[in-house]
Each structure stands twice: as C-alpha cells, then as structure tokens.
Amino acid sequence: MTLAPKNLQTIESHVLDLQRLHPSASGDFTSLLNDISFAAKVVSRDVTKAGLVEDILGSTGEQNIQGEVVQKLDNFANNVFLKCLGRRGQVCIMGSEEMEDPVFADTSQGTGKYIVVFDPLDGSSNIDANVSVGTIFGIWKRISKLAQINEDDLLQPGSELVASGYIIYGSSTMFVYTAGNGVHGFTLDPSIGEFLLSHENIMTPFGGKIYSVNEAYEPRWSPEVKEVVRQLKYGRDTKGTTRKDAPTEGAGMSSRYIGSLVADFHRNLLYGGVYLYPPTTEHPRGKLRLMCEAAPLAMIVENAGGYASDGTGSILDVVPDNLHMRVPLYIGSRGDVLWMEKMISESSSAL
Ligand code: P6P
C-alpha cells in the first residue's frame, strides 16, 4: 500500500497561494513557474532513463561558450526550457549557460514581463556516471518600457531577482524555489506526474560541519584561500588556536565534493555547510557563472538564512558586465561564509 504523502500540495497550488498575496497579480508569474516545473518534469523523464535511451548519453563533440564539452542531455535540456519558457509571452529575454547570446522573444508580443537565465543541466559531465545533476534558474523583471527591451533588462544583479530555484535530478527529482517568501522544496511523484510539497520553509543551519571544494586546485589558490581551507580542515589557525569568529568548531568538518554544484549546494542547504569555488590561476574570476549559477543560489540561500559571497561582499550585489560573467563563490551557512569572507578580505587587504 502506498503511504499518502504528508502534504498533497502541488507546486502549482503553492504558487497560486502566493499569487493570492498579490491581488494585482496578472497570473503571468504563476504560469511562468508552472512552465518551468513542466520543463523540469520533461528533463527528469529523460535524465532518469538516460542509460536506456539510445543515443542520448555522451557528448555531442561540440563545445559551448564556456569551452566545455556539450553533453547530448545538455542540448536536450536547453531546448526543452527554451520551448517551454518561450511559448506564452510572459518572457521577453532568455539567457542560457549553453548559448553565447540571449534569446530576445518576439517583441511583437511585447508583453513579456520577465527575464529568465538558466543553466539547463549543471554538472552534466557527471551524467554518464549516473551522478546527480541539476537545473538552476533566476527570474528578473523587465525594466524597460513595453517593446523597448534591451541589454539593461538582462544584466541585473541578484538583488533584483524576483524568484530563483533549482531542480536536482537525483535519487528523486526535487524542485526548490523562493519568491522571497521562504524556500520551499517539492518532490516529484512520477506516478502522478506532480511535484508535491515535501520541504516547507527550508532554513539552513548558521554553522555547518561540511565543506565542499575541489582540493586538487590548492596549489593554484591565493594564500588567504589556502589558510581558510586549512582552518576548515584543522579548526586551528597558524598559532594552533581555535578558529576565531568561526561558528563551528573547525576540527570535525567533513569534506564532501560531488563535482555537481546543485547536488553539493542542496546537501549543504539541508545539513549545513559551505561550498567554495575560489579563483584559481586558470579561472582568476572563478569558474562559476554569476547569472545562471551564483546569483540564483545566493537568493535561495539568503532566504533560507544563509549567505553567499564572492570573497569581498554579497553575491547579490554584483552587477553583471555580461551574461556569462564568472565570480568566485563561497556559499552556505551564514556564520561560516561570513567568517571566510572576513578572513579573505582582511588578509588580501593586508597584503
Ligand atoms: P571542477 C560543473 O561543471 C560545475 O559547473 C559545477 O556543477 C561543479 O561544482 C563544478 O563545475 C566542478 O568544477 O573544476 O571541480 O571540476
């Protein structure tokens, strides 16, 4: 006998409840989020059976704007989101990690109120090994007047996001989003094809016991980042005393790094902890993209009580100079990330 889910609230009804808080709402935002959740179901269907479907695994042999090998599922997911988001006129600009240029919707419709920037399948290099991958999206509102859409509508900071979220295609498929009223998680029940509310009002612990970073890059980090990671490991500063200002006792931290940002971020959001992608000699501004990765996850983590920094200040304050701008990313438990930001910004200003 299948146990009835704790809560039979679907994501559609959750967003409708949200809409009722805004009597003047037109319903465009509600239908946009529902289009995103529909696209997520389509991608989930193919990601979860990728091993069985002829010719969908593996790489296309092409490279994307980032110089990364494009997996077939990347392409597939990108096309699904483009089709689903562009069909009803609520969106005026779409930006994707997989495409060099943004797509401007048909301005004859002119009504598109929203800009959506997304990474259709983050972590996709892990697909062939059946490791969890994810989609990340951010939704901004148009600034310009009707039918005068321009790049200023696209290049907005994370502080202007009206909503953001991610879908993690893992042991189950989960849709996590915020529209500024808390962070809520929905788990896909494939038997009925619905995302059901499973994690209401997610709050992340102030300090965590997990740190996620690719330690192979240690030789390429700055001295201050090396010291931060050393203290995450040993819990002691160079004089052997306990980490000052750190909310969590350093010793006893566990290292967990999947190499799939959405999977690492989601685990740390629920359990507490920090994810770091510092600048390296290869990526002096960091590897991760501001608009389709760092800013949307920064909005999520801030609404869950956490914090996201580029090492000098809040990710949400960084104004993009282009769609694919990269930033260093330190994200997760507020106390830990603030401690890291202080360590990095004070040491680098002392240099
Ligand atoms: P590295 C995947 O390419 C990604 O963008 C994130 O999902 C992941 O956390 C990171 O890059 C992994 O990068 O350099 O450690 O392989």
Side-chain angles (χ1 to χ4, degrees):
M1 180 191 76
T2 311
L3 291 176
K6 274 185 297 182
N7 187 319
L8 283 172
Q9 183 161 25
T10 64
I11 192 165
E12 287 76 9
S13 65
H14 195 269
V15 181
L16 270 173
D17 290 351
L18 199 64
Q19 181 180 315
R20 287 193 193 99
L21 299 177
H22 306 279
S24 59
S26 64
D28 284 355
F29 177 75
T30 301
S31 70
L32 172 55
L33 262 185
N34 291 339
D35 286 345
I36 294 174
S37 77
F38 175 74
K41 292 175 194 172
V42 174
V43 172
S44 175
R45 178 198 62 191
D46 286 75
V47 164
T48 47
K49 68 177 187 191
L52 302 173
V53 178
E54 189 58 29
D55 197 32
I56 200 159
L57 272 182
S59 77
T60 59
E62 299 150 22
Q63 284 205 340
N64 64 14
I65 165 80
Q66 327 294 343
E68 294 161 346
V69 174
V70 178
Q71 303 293 334
K72 289 171 186 161
L73 269 172
D74 272 325
N75 262 344
F76 169 77
N78 192 54
N79 293 333
V80 168
F81 278 94
L82 288 177
K83 281 200 185 76
C84 290
L85 297 188
R87 62 186 175 172
R88 281 201 276 208
Q90 330 91 315
V91 177
C92 57
I93 309 176
M94 285 179 275
S96 166
E97 192 243 7
E98 293 299 329
M99 302 185 308
E100 183 157 1
D101 300 314
V103 174
F104 284 74
D106 170 6
T107 46
S108 62
Q109 292 171 352
T111 54
K113 268 194 274 191
Y114 297 105
I115 293 93
V116 186
V117 179
F118 55 89
D119 183 352
L121 211 57
D122 177 78
S124 55
S125 57
N126 294 295
I127 285 175
D128 294 355
N130 207 18
V131 170
S132 298
V133 292
T135 298
I136 308 169
F137 65 88
I139 302 174
W140 285 266
K141 246 191 170 169
R142 189 183 68 205
I143 308 167
S144 61
K145 290 193 181 47
L146 205 56
Q148 291 167 9
I149 303 161
N150 60 67
E151 201 175 51
D152 293 344
D153 293 296
L154 175 66
L155 301 179
Q156 299 186 53
S159 54
E160 294 304 311
L161 279 160
V162 293
S164 75
Y166 61 88
I167 299 98
I168 177 167
Y169 311 99
S171 49
S172 63
T173 293
M174 264 193 77
F175 188 111
V176 179
Y177 89 104
T178 185
N181 300 72
V183 176
H184 310 289
F186 300 78
T187 301
L188 183 63
D189 179 339
S191 65
I192 56 172
E194 291 289 3
F195 280 107
L196 298 179
L197 183 62
S198 54
H199 297 68
E200 192 165 21
N201 280 319
I202 297 172
M203 292 303 289
T204 196
F206 181 71
K209 292 282 184 196
I210 295 169
Y211 74 96
S212 308
V213 68
N214 187 336
E215 308 235 19
Y217 299 151
E218 198 269 351
R220 307 178 215 170
W221 294 336
S222 66
E224 53 271 12
V225 169
K226 288 181 182 177
E227 178 56 18
V228 160
V229 175
R230 202 192 65 76
Q231 291 199 29
L232 286 174
K233 281 184 202 310
Y234 296 97
R236 297 284 178 275
D237 63 20
T238 43
K239 300 177 200 60
T241 51
T242 307
R243 279 169 37 199
K244 291 182 286 303
D245 314 325
T248 44
E249 175 53 40
M253 293 286 263
S254 291
S255 170
R256 294 282 185 276
Y257 192 69
I258 300 170
S260 182
L261 170 59
V262 171
D264 281 314
F265 175 82
H266 182 67
R267 180 207 49 244
N268 293 356
L269 182 75
L270 298 183
Y271 296 172
V274 290
Y275 172 98
L276 307 79
Y277 206 106
T280 64
T281 41
E282 185 191 6
H283 292 301
R285 289 178 79 171
K287 171 186 180 185
L288 301 176
R289 273 68 60 166
L290 171 64
M291 293 200 75
C292 66
E293 292 170 318
L297 295 182
M299 181 185 187
I300 289 272
V301 83
E302 287 256 349
N303 277 273
Y307 180 55
S309 171
D310 65 354
T312 61
S314 172
I315 285 282
L316 294 178
D317 296 337
V318 181
V319 180
D321 53 23
N322 71 80
L323 172 61
H324 299 288
M325 176 175 167
R326 297 175 191 265
V327 282
L329 181 62
Y330 308 87
I331 189 167
S333 294
R334 174 169 288 271
D336 287 328
V337 178
L338 283 172
W339 170 79
M340 290 195 283
E341 181 182 276
K342 187 160 174 275
M343 285 280 287
I344 292 167
S345 51
E346 277 179 359
S347 329
S348 40
S349 54
L351 289 180

